[in-house]
Amino acid sequence: MVGRLIYLSHTRPDIPFAVSLVSQFMHAPGPEHQEAIFRILRCLKGSPGKGLLYKDRGHLQVESYTDVFWAGSITNRRSTSGYCTFVGGNLVSWRSKKQSVVARSSVEAEFRAVANGICEGLWVEKLLQELNFYNSPPIKLYCDNKSAIFIAHNPVIHDRTKHVEVDKHFIKEKIERGHICMTYIPTTEQLADILTKGLPKKPFDYITRKLSMEDIFKPA
């Protein structure tokens, strides 16, 4: 069941966090994990016609939203990273993944998430260039961590950033070369939030609408 849900999460950006969470216990599942899977299935059964709606908005601007849930795992305190990438206002890629090491600060975890989001945005940009559909404006990257944005623009390497120096230099280089425009966004408007943690119904529904998820069976 989890394998099928992983496959389905490639077309349903509202379930990757929940699916990634249950997939971490596939080696030793318990009754509570099975109940979590059934809950995901009930959610999917209640919205069989839900999916992404793509529209022509007259541009091909690449935008990335990156977020992290610092020390969110209660088992090993690793952080969960999430990013989603838009082309022309349409969602084309997204990912939710637990980080491979424990982050000692929220900025460290945020840098790793931002670096992953930048790599995905650059890959999408390269793909569009190969298809002759892109005129190379800067990629807009939205982050809700002011400290991470400040350090990324600060040429001085502080002692507190030595452990993420590689990611910091990578982000700083892309900003200086004009490949990336890193912008602050409030947490309430951070669309990648749905990929890093479980959300209450109101913000969950708000983000799914912003992701252009529509239910074709919903009454008009």
Side-chain angles (χ1 to χ4, degrees):
M1 284 190 294
V2 173
R4 294 180 178 183
L5 288 174
I6 292 174
Y7 182 79
L8 183 61
S9 65
H10 292 298
T11 58
R12 290 287 298 258
D14 54 337
I15 65 169
F17 171 72
V19 174
S20 68
L21 198 61
V22 296
S23 67
Q24 298 170 23
F25 300 93
M26 291 176 64
H27 62 287
E32 64 276 17
H33 305 123
Q34 188 175 30
E35 178 57 34
I37 295 172
F38 288 153
R39 185 172 181 178
I40 298 173
L41 294 176
R42 287 194 294 268
C43 176
L44 294 172
K45 185 178 180 181
S47 56
K50 200 169 186 178
L52 292 170
L53 178 64
Y54 292 94
K55 299 179 181 179
D56 182 5
R57 293 176 171 83
H59 67 89
L60 289 176
Q61 173 68 54
V62 178
E63 300 172 297
S64 291
Y65 293 80
T66 64
D67 194 28
V68 67
F69 186 24
W70 178 48
S73 175
I74 61 174
T75 57
N76 54 20
R77 286 305 175 186
R78 292 183 181 180
S79 306
T80 302
S81 299
Y83 66 76
C84 53
T85 306
F86 291 76
V87 176
N90 296 301
L91 182 62
V92 296
S93 67
W94 56 89
R95 192 179 190 189
S96 174
K97 184 177 178 61
K98 183 188 286 188
Q99 294 185 356
S100 57
V101 296
V102 179
R104 297 177 60 191
S105 67
S106 60
V107 174
E108 175 186 350
E110 196 77 45
F111 270 136
R112 294 197 175 104
V114 170
N116 291 334
I118 289 176
C119 290
E120 182 72 11
L122 293 174
W123 178 84
V124 171
E125 179 186 67
K126 184 64 175 178
L127 177 62
L128 291 174
Q129 289 174 348
E130 292 181 357
L131 296 173
N132 295 322
F133 280 124
Y134 199 58
N135 56 0
S136 296
I139 298 172
K140 294 183 179 179
L141 189 139
Y142 299 100
C143 175
D144 60 1
N145 190 308
K146 291 183 177 180
S147 297
I149 296 174
F150 173 75
I151 295 174
H153 288 84
N154 190 343
V156 179
I157 303 296
H158 298 283
D159 289 340
R160 60 177 176 164
T161 64
K162 285 183 178 179
H163 48 294
V164 286
E165 190 171 340
V166 174
D167 285 333
K168 179 191 179 301
H169 277 294
F170 172 74
I171 297 168
K172 181 175 177 291
E173 179 182 272
K174 299 304 178 184
I175 292 175
E176 290 178 346
R177 292 185 177 182
H179 296 159
I180 300 293
C181 178
M182 195 171 178
T183 307
Y184 171 76
I185 189 172
T187 302
T188 54
E189 299 293 328
Q190 176 56 268
L191 303 186
D193 205 27
I194 198 174
L195 301 170
T196 61
K197 62 179 76 69
L199 297 175
K201 186 177 187 307
K202 186 175 180 180
F204 182 87
D205 291 341
Y206 172 76
I207 292 179
T208 54
R209 288 195 301 270
K210 296 289 286 185
L211 295 176
S212 297
M213 293 196 68
E214 302 288 346
D215 191 346
I216 60 175
F217 298 140
K218 186 177 181 180

